Amino acid sequence: MEQVVAWLHEKNPGLDGEIRSDEDLIEARLIDSMDFLEFIDLLEEISGDTIDLQEVTIDDFRTLARVQERFLNSAGPAEVPAG
């Protein structure tokens, strides 16, 4: 999860502080349409799995907690801070 948080901070240089695990990444504009495919590539790289866009919804990418649950639980013991 650290890689995901670091990527979000890199894409949003004005972002200060932590990103809560329940913060809506899309509503907060931390992920926009231009970065979405890069975000999916990052998740695939971290998890080692391909993400089939036919099998996911936008809600699967909405919060750090959901990203962890949906894509990263099999990628090791990464934890989402309670924030």
Side-chain angles (χ1 to χ4, degrees):
M1 187 53 67
E2 289 176 15
Q3 291 172 290
V4 173
V5 171
W7 183 88
L8 289 167
H9 278 278
E10 179 183 315
K11 292 295 177 180
N12 299 279
L15 179 64
D16 291 326
E18 291 186 42
I19 302 169
R20 293 185 333 270
S21 63
D22 64 344
E23 183 168 359
D24 191 318
L25 303 174
I26 297 165
E27 289 292 321
R29 297 182 183 203
L30 298 178
I31 301 174
D32 63 21
S33 59
M34 300 298 286
D35 295 325
F36 192 71
L37 290 177
E38 187 178 335
F39 186 61
I40 290 172
D41 286 342
L42 174 70
L43 295 176
E44 289 178 335
E45 181 181 317
I46 294 168
S47 69
D49 292 326
T50 301
I51 296 172
D52 184 347
L53 296 180
Q54 301 282 331
E55 296 181 8
V56 295
T57 69
I58 195 68
D59 289 334
D60 291 323
F61 303 94
R62 238 177 234 290
T63 66
L64 291 176
R66 182 64 179 144
V67 166
Q68 170 99 27
E69 176 186 320
R70 182 70 169 90
F71 305 109
L72 301 180
N73 273 343
S74 63
E79 292 187 21
V80 176

